[in-house]
Amino acid sequence: TEGRKLHPEERLKMLLVSSLFSNPRELPSSYLFRTGTASSSALTASCLCGAVRIEVNLTTTTLRPLARCACLSCRRYGVASFASYLEIDALPEEAEYLAYDDSCATFGAIERLACKHCRSKIGARRRDDGASFLAAGCFDDIPESLAARWRGDDAETKDDAPWMRLLPVQNIRALRTSSTFGGGCRCGACRFRVRGLFPGELQHCYCSICRKLSGSAFQTWMPARALRWTTTGGGALDLVRTTPHGRRHQCRRCGSVMTIIYDSQPETPWPAAGAIDDDAFDDDDDKRASIYRIIHICCDTLPPWFRLPKDGYPRLRYAS
């Protein structure tokens, strides 16, 4: 980092990692913010803690379009609007994975793989033929020509996540504040009830922490008045520090990352939209959630393979 100004996200990560690694030389490369440095012959990927590292040789791999799936199992596992995967020859066998058997509307029966240590979403293996898929959210660096191609592919797809169809209410008096909704992880070991989810906002965050922990292009967060855990799977629930100023609830069994709890506002939990049950966003139900603002944050670290939607909502370079 000598001789150049650190990006705000990079400074944040260095502060966090310095508390985990006593020797600065031990810092994993996945904590370094990189753009535009990819070789034309390689694609690199890693988990948040650096325990899992993958390099895809583009000269020997037949690259396909990114496969995008917004089925309920993909959304709840990654706790995001959709999953994006790149089929590759193989995922590393020697890596320490947290494996979860699941099914997907696009790929069928699969084994989902996350880093055992930080629970970053790494990818999946299909059961019937062993095909391997790398989660796009863990990409570190890709050639611009490839990113541009995938941005074009992505523009042709539509997102089926119900919260992506929400619109801000025009009359703030129409906001509903007393509704209670359910949510939880993919395997169901950890379940919660959240009260007074709105009035509030949706924040689509593109920072590398959200991307790696979800395996997707972004995660969507929303403030709540209160959150109560109704079941924690006999010790399956973890509250893990992921930044110097916040922690996240994670499931030890399936790896879903469900909430952010900020040190400065512990009384205001921020559940991820992907962890909330879909009926909270039902247009035809009186329980439908109401919001007054939708914004995109950390756009300075937008993954190069993803195109921001033309929705007219504010775009912030960093966190709000």
Side-chain angles (χ1 to χ4, degrees), residues 40-102:
S40 60
S41 62
L43 179 154
T44 61
S46 66
C47 68
L48 190 60
C49 73
V52 180
R53 304 169 188 268
I54 300 170
E55 182 171 304
V56 179
N57 188 331
L58 302 181
T59 63
T60 61
T61 301
T62 300
L63 288 179
R64 301 169 177 84
L66 289 181
R68 178 163 159 173
C69 182
C71 74
L72 178 60
S73 62
C74 281
R75 289 191 280 111
R76 184 54 64 91
Y77 174 75
V79 198
S81 297
F82 57 87
S84 284
Y85 288 115
L86 173 67
E87 185 171 355
I88 60 175
D89 294 337
L91 291 166
E93 294 289 344
E94 68 278 6
E96 292 187 273
Y97 294 120
L98 174 65
Y100 178 67
D101 288 335
D102 203 0

Side-chain angles (χ1 to χ4, degrees), residues 182-193:
C185 65
R186 171 56 185 152
C187 71
C190 302
R191 292 284 301 172
F192 59 78
R193 298 291 293 176

Side-chain angles (χ1 to χ4, degrees), residues 227-238:
L227 185 148
R228 177 176 61 88
W229 295 95
T230 57
T231 177
T232 57
L237 184 67
D238 263 349

Side-chain angles (χ1 to χ4, degrees), residues 122-188:
I122 304 301
R125 294 193 184 103
R126 192 158 50 204
R127 286 296 186 184
D128 60 358
D129 60 4
S132 294
F133 303 92
L134 179 62
C138 68
F139 291 171
D140 288 324
D141 216 355
I142 61 176
E144 173 54 32
S145 59
L146 190 56
R149 167 183 161 187
W150 284 335
R151 283 197 300 272
D153 292 338
D154 188 73
E156 302 299 324
T157 63
K158 292 185 177 180
D159 201 336
D160 292 327
W163 57 90
M164 298 300 289
R165 299 191 294 267
L166 293 178
L167 298 174
V169 296
Q170 299 300 312
N171 181 3
I172 197 168
R173 294 184 178 179
L175 290 167
R176 286 180 284 278
T177 62
S178 60
S179 298
T180 300
F181 306 101
C185 65
R186 171 56 185 152
C187 71

